[in-house]
Amino acid sequence: MFEITILGCGSATPSLKHMPSSQVVDHNGKYFMIDCGEGTQLEVRRRGIKMARLNNIFISHLHGDHILGLPGLLSSLSLNDFTGEMHVYMLPEGIDVIKQTLATFAHEPNYTLTFHPLTVENKVIYEDATMTVETFPLSHTVPAVGFLFKEKPKPRRIIGEMVEFHQVPLRERAALKDGADYVKEDGTVVPNRLLTRDPEPPSTYAYASDTMPCRSVREAVAGVDLLYHEATYGDDKVSQAHGRGHSTAREAGRIAREVGAKQLVIGHFSKAYNNNEQVLIDQAREEYPTAILAYEGLRIKC
Amino acid sequence: MFEITILGCGSATPSLKHMPSSQVVDHNGKYFMIDCGEGTQLEVRRRGIKMARLNNIFISHLHGDHILGLPGLLSSLSLNDFTGEMHVYMLPEGIDVIKQTLATFAHEPNYTLTFHPLTVENKVIYEDATMTVETFPLSHTVPAVGFLFKEKPKPRRIIGEMVEFHQVPLRERAALKDGADYVKEDGTVVPNRLLTRDPEPPSTYAYASDTMPCRSVREAVAGVDLLYHEATYGDDKVSQAHGRGHSTAREAGRIAREVGAKQLVIGHFSKAYNNNEQVLIDQAREEYPTAILAYEGLRIKC
């Protein structure tokens, strides 16, 4: 299961209503950050996110409202005695500038900082024992990628009373989780399906911001458990949306419905809707009736 | 007269109590910013500061908590249709990084942006018809300068009823403001002191952060109308203060008293005092009884 915490869901023009883009994905207590607009390090504190559990930061593209909080966050880690490893995944054109910013304005880090250059393609960029993160191309005014978080298939779940009944020895139980039948000493076969239950299906979470509606997004996010899709504008600003490489709330809803996403959160709202975000969620819900409007502090599981 | 608005008075380690260093000096409706920590552009909005009136930003030194908000503030100007001139004064070692950050993460500015390299010395770096700004060396862990804002001497103030009484023609009145006597057509001399009053004395404001107590500060801020002096630590952390190039609240108070500053505001508080800033102001007041504790949103005139 993934739990997403929204730290910022405004767009480029700053306002007092929203912070710029950032969110944290919690997978079994391991945190992953997506984007890091200015002020993210304070939002991390405000939401009680423990930095010690954060080792991977994914930056979708090189616009300031998605990255200008990165130098501050990375430089404060040293002041907060962070001693682990930090991995930052971003398009290569921005890596040197971030390094130079840290070298010029920050103390020498007392932790290991590694930059991983991204490419605009469908590609697994992170993998551990239980999950992967893949990039997929977005359609924005500059090169940009979305991120697809995928749990790996989980082991089958042992049915305690059946395992007791058939007296399966402890040493045989790991094999049951992988789907093996149990063969008794007398040769009798107890089929796996009597001893285990199906595991929870692997969960998937997709982040698509900033982007126009496009096939690459549709293909990558098909059937995901949760889709965070940008919805910068409403129906009244369709041409502005597309001209600036963005989507409308209605388009976000339509994509979620058409690809069969199981939940939809819309975000990255233009300041123009600060006093009337209801129109955005209303328009999204005409396409996808259970769409959720993001806000700073929203936590949602999938 | 200057009016100072404190936008941030915390120190390097971020906290939810204080923003990092920044403030705005208002001189007759013309704004000057000193330092620009991360998040400053939001504080500017929160305090109702009109960006259109801000054309000069002074950065004291190249530590992140004094400068990491600069790229965001400068890049948002374009989004907000700022079309004037912006002048940034900072130590030269940081200028290229800021330029590269803007070039990589921001839109092309639609205004004129000029960087002015500072040197660590006593030097007039800004001058207009009514005031000057001078740098003075601070004593910190890295090169750093304070800023001294000085009004120029003002014109003498005409006494309306006396000018009427002596029937001074309109065209002669400008000369009265500069101190000239009025000579009537019959040769009678009306001395200036009968026609004008002394002007308001020119005001001075000094900003000294980050710095240890030092002679350069004492000399530069002697007799100022208002001194903003850092007070990162209390008496319990004197060696930590000096080891990190900072002052204690008591030292700030002592300097203000010894140099005859007419008002003192202390700021740049360590996060360690978040729950007990009273000790800082108490210790400063043992040396300078009317010291004021800075906070975000404080406005003070001199």
Side-chain angles (χ1 to χ4, degrees):
Chain A
M1 193 176 67
F2 297 108
E3 183 178 272
I4 320 308
T5 300
I6 305 296
L7 300 180
C9 55
S11 62
T13 306
S15 77
L16 293 176
K17 178 161 177 126
H18 289 299
M19 296 298 293
S21 291
S22 185
Q23 51 183 254
V24 169
V25 181
D26 175 354
H27 189 244
N28 302 330
K30 209 165 170 176
Y31 295 160
F32 302 83
M33 180 175 281
I34 304 177
D35 285 340
C36 188
E38 182 176 355
T40 294
Q41 61 169 324
L42 280 190
E43 288 302 306
V44 162
R45 279 168 181 72
R46 191 163 283 131
R47 306 306 167 188
I49 306 284
K50 289 192 174 57
M51 288 300 294
R53 293 187 175 181
L54 177 68
N55 300 100
N56 295 279
I57 301 175
F58 304 100
I59 305 292
S60 62
H61 64 295
L62 302 182
H63 277 160
D65 58 318
H66 293 253
I67 195 170
L68 286 179
L70 187 60
L73 184 130
L74 293 176
S75 88
S76 295
L77 286 180
S78 291
L79 298 172
N80 284 295
D81 299 325
F82 177 88
T83 52
E85 289 184 6
M86 184 60 80
H87 297 270
V88 177
Y89 304 76
M90 57 187 284
L91 291 162
E93 294 76 10
I95 293 177
D96 272 355
V97 184
I98 297 292
K99 282 183 180 172
Q100 285 166 38
T101 301
L102 292 173
T104 310
F105 303 134
H107 297 273
E108 188 70 25
N110 48 15
Y111 60 91
T112 311
L113 175 59
T114 311
F115 287 89
H116 303 263
L118 296 180
T119 44
V120 182
E121 62 182 325
N122 293 80
K123 186 176 177 183
V124 175
I125 56 165
Y126 172 88
E127 178 166 15
D128 65 23
T130 59
M131 56 167 278
T132 57
V133 181
E134 291 173 34
T135 50
F136 55 93
L138 302 177
S139 175
H140 194 40
T141 55
V142 295
V145 293
F147 300 104
L148 177 62
F149 286 66
K150 269 178 155 168
E151 283 187 318
K152 292 184 175 176
K154 297 171 186 173
R156 299 187 61 77
R157 290 178 299 171
I158 285 174
I159 305 170
E161 56 268 40
M162 293 305 286
V163 164
E164 290 287 314
F165 178 80
H166 290 287
Q167 296 185 312
V168 184
L170 273 175
R171 65 175 181 282
E172 304 275 352
R173 296 188 186 178
L176 299 188
K177 293 183 181 175
D178 291 338
D181 298 333
Y182 171 52
V183 185
K184 292 189 176 178
E185 284 188 5
D186 65 4
T188 319
V189 173
V190 186
N192 186 281
R193 68 179 157 74
L194 296 182
L195 299 168
T196 66
R197 285 194 191 89
D198 286 345
E200 293 267 324
S203 181
T204 48
Y205 169 62
Y207 174 91
S209 181
D210 297 359
T211 189
M212 279 190 282
C214 69
R215 203 171 83 177
S216 160
V217 169
R218 285 172 195 270
E219 288 175 357
V221 309
V224 290
D225 291 292
L226 175 61
L227 169 62
Y228 177 94
H229 197 288
E230 75 131 287
T232 311
Y233 297 103
D235 288 347
D236 59 315
K237 292 195 167 70
V238 175
S239 64
Q240 190 162 336
H242 297 174
R244 297 178 179 184
H246 290 299
S247 302
T248 66
R250 181 179 301 281
E251 289 167 335
R254 191 178 299 144
I255 288 169
R257 175 168 53 75
E258 290 177 356
V259 306
K262 297 187 189 68
Q263 283 189 98
L264 169 66
V265 173
I266 60 169
H268 200 267
F269 310 122
S270 162
K271 187 184 172 187
Y273 299 88
N274 267 3
N275 298 317
N276 192 18
E277 286 179 357
Q278 190 63 38
V279 306
L280 297 179
I281 192 65
D282 285 349
Q283 291 167 6
R285 283 183 177 158
E286 284 177 30
E287 302 288 337
Y288 191 95
T290 60
I292 294 169
L293 195 75
Y295 56 87
E296 283 72 15
L298 172 67
R299 287 198 150 95
I300 184 162
K301 294 180 181 181
C302 71
Chain B
M1 192 177 65
F2 296 108
E3 182 178 89
I4 320 308
T5 300
I6 305 295
L7 300 180
C9 55
S11 62
T13 306
S15 76
L16 294 175
K17 179 161 178 126
H18 289 299
M19 296 300 291
S21 291
S22 185
Q23 52 183 253
V24 169
V25 180
D26 174 355
H27 189 243
N28 301 331
K30 206 166 173 177
Y31 294 161
F32 301 84
M33 180 175 282
I34 306 176
D35 285 340
C36 189
E38 182 176 354
T40 293
Q41 60 170 325
L42 280 190
E43 288 302 306
V44 162
R45 280 169 181 73
R46 191 162 283 131
R47 307 304 168 191
I49 307 284
K50 290 192 173 57
M51 288 301 295
R53 294 187 174 182
L54 177 67
N55 299 99
N56 295 279
I57 301 176
F58 303 99
I59 305 290
S60 62
H61 64 295
L62 302 182
H63 278 159
D65 58 317
H66 294 252
I67 195 170
L68 286 179
L70 187 60
L73 183 130
L74 293 176
S75 89
S76 294
L77 285 181
S78 291
L79 298 172
N80 284 294
D81 299 324
F82 178 89
T83 52
E85 289 185 7
M86 184 60 79
H87 297 269
V88 177
Y89 305 76
M90 57 187 283
L91 292 162
E93 294 77 10
I95 292 176
D96 272 355
V97 185
I98 297 292
K99 282 183 180 172
Q100 285 167 39
T101 300
L102 292 172
T104 310
F105 304 133
H107 298 274
E108 189 71 25
N110 49 14
Y111 59 93
T112 311
L113 175 60
T114 310
F115 287 89
H116 304 263
L118 296 180
T119 44
V120 182
E121 62 183 323
N122 294 78
K123 186 176 177 183
V124 174
I125 56 166
Y126 172 88
E127 178 165 15
D128 65 23
T130 59
M131 56 167 277
T132 57
V133 181
E134 292 174 31
T135 50
F136 55 93
L138 302 177
S139 175
H140 193 39
T141 54
V142 295
V145 293
F147 300 104
L148 177 61
F149 287 67
K150 269 176 152 169
E151 284 187 318
K152 293 183 174 176
K154 297 171 187 174
R156 299 189 60 79
R157 291 178 299 173
I158 285 173
I159 304 169
E161 56 268 42
M162 294 303 288
V163 165
E164 292 288 314
F165 178 81
H166 290 287
Q167 296 184 312
V168 184
L170 271 176
R171 63 174 184 282
E172 303 276 354
R173 293 189 187 179
L176 298 187
K177 293 182 182 177
D178 293 336
D181 297 333
Y182 171 52
V183 185
K184 293 188 175 178
E185 286 189 6
D186 65 3
T188 319
V189 174
V190 187
N192 187 281
R193 69 182 157 72
L194 295 182
L195 300 168
T196 66
R197 286 194 191 88
D198 286 344
E200 293 268 324
S203 182
T204 48
Y205 169 61
Y207 174 90
S209 182
D210 299 358
T211 189
M212 280 190 281
C214 68
R215 204 171 84 177
S216 159
V217 170
R218 285 170 196 271
E219 288 175 359
V221 309
V224 290
D225 291 292
L226 174 61
L227 169 63
Y228 177 92
H229 197 287
E230 74 131 284
T232 310
Y233 296 103
D235 288 347
D236 59 316
K237 292 194 167 68
V238 175
S239 63
Q240 190 163 336
H242 297 174
R244 297 179 178 183
H246 291 300
S247 301
T248 66
R250 180 179 302 280
E251 288 167 339
R254 190 179 300 146
I255 288 169
R257 176 170 51 75
E258 290 177 357
V259 306
K262 296 187 189 67
Q263 281 190 99
L264 169 67
V265 173
I266 60 170
H268 199 268
F269 310 122
S270 162
K271 187 185 172 186
Y273 299 89
N274 267 3
N275 297 316
N276 192 18
E277 286 178 355
Q278 192 61 40
V279 306
L280 297 178
I281 193 65
D282 286 349
Q283 290 167 8
R285 283 181 177 160
E286 283 177 31
E287 301 287 337
Y288 191 95
T290 60
I292 293 169
L293 195 75
Y295 56 86
E296 284 72 13
L298 172 68
R299 287 198 150 95
I300 184 164
K301 294 179 181 181
C302 70

